[in-house]
Amino acid sequence: MGYAGALTAVTLAAFWRGLTATGHPPGHAATLSFMTLAFAEIFHLGNARSSRPVMSPKTAFANKSALGAAVAAVLIQIAALEVAPIAAILHLTPLSIEDWAAVIGLAALPAVAGQALKAVRVRAGRR
């Protein structure tokens, strides 16, 4: 429930950012929230795959299949935004550098918080 709440919170924060931004079409908020949710789910892989933290490079890159799937998901997500016919079908709007920074920053929050929580639990002797 905690991760679901965190993913929902960052998605809604991205949507709010899009709604309050000036000079963007109405669909911009949906694009921001769509991209934030997708990247948050991809980044969540580290929290979902282990009850222990996966912050060390050795641990983070141990599962080549999961890493390959994450890279493929990132590329597909970017293609959805950058390939004009797909973007048109999905009603996506272009993102600025500032938008991308918000998307990646917000999407990373649940993953970083989850890994920090796991590290604290391990140090405290709990799983």
Side-chain angles (χ1 to χ4, degrees):
M1 294 291 291
Y3 289 126
L7 295 174
T8 301
V10 297
T11 301
L12 290 174
F15 191 75
W16 178 80
R17 183 184 189 282
L19 286 178
T20 59
T22 56
H24 290 287
H28 193 67
T31 300
L32 285 171
S33 60
F34 173 66
M35 297 301 283
T36 300
L37 177 60
F39 278 95
E41 290 285 351
I42 295 165
F43 297 159
H44 178 63
L45 175 63
N47 288 325
R49 70 178 268 229
S50 174
S51 62
R52 300 185 55 79
V54 292
M55 294 182 286
S56 73
K58 180 181 177 186
T59 308
F61 298 114
N63 186 334
K64 302 295 185 208
S65 297
L67 187 59
V71 169
V74 166
L75 294 175
I76 291 167
Q77 194 63 28
I78 292 170
L81 186 65
E82 297 298 327
V83 176
I86 300 171
I89 290 169
L90 296 173
H91 303 286
L92 300 178
T93 62
L95 296 180
S96 68
I97 296 296
E98 293 83 12
D99 291 335
W100 273 113
V103 165
I104 299 304
L106 286 168
L109 284 175
V112 171
Q115 289 300 300
L117 181 60
K118 288 179 182 192
V120 167
R121 285 183 180 160
V122 166
R123 284 197 182 105
R126 295 177 283 163
R127 280 189 91 198

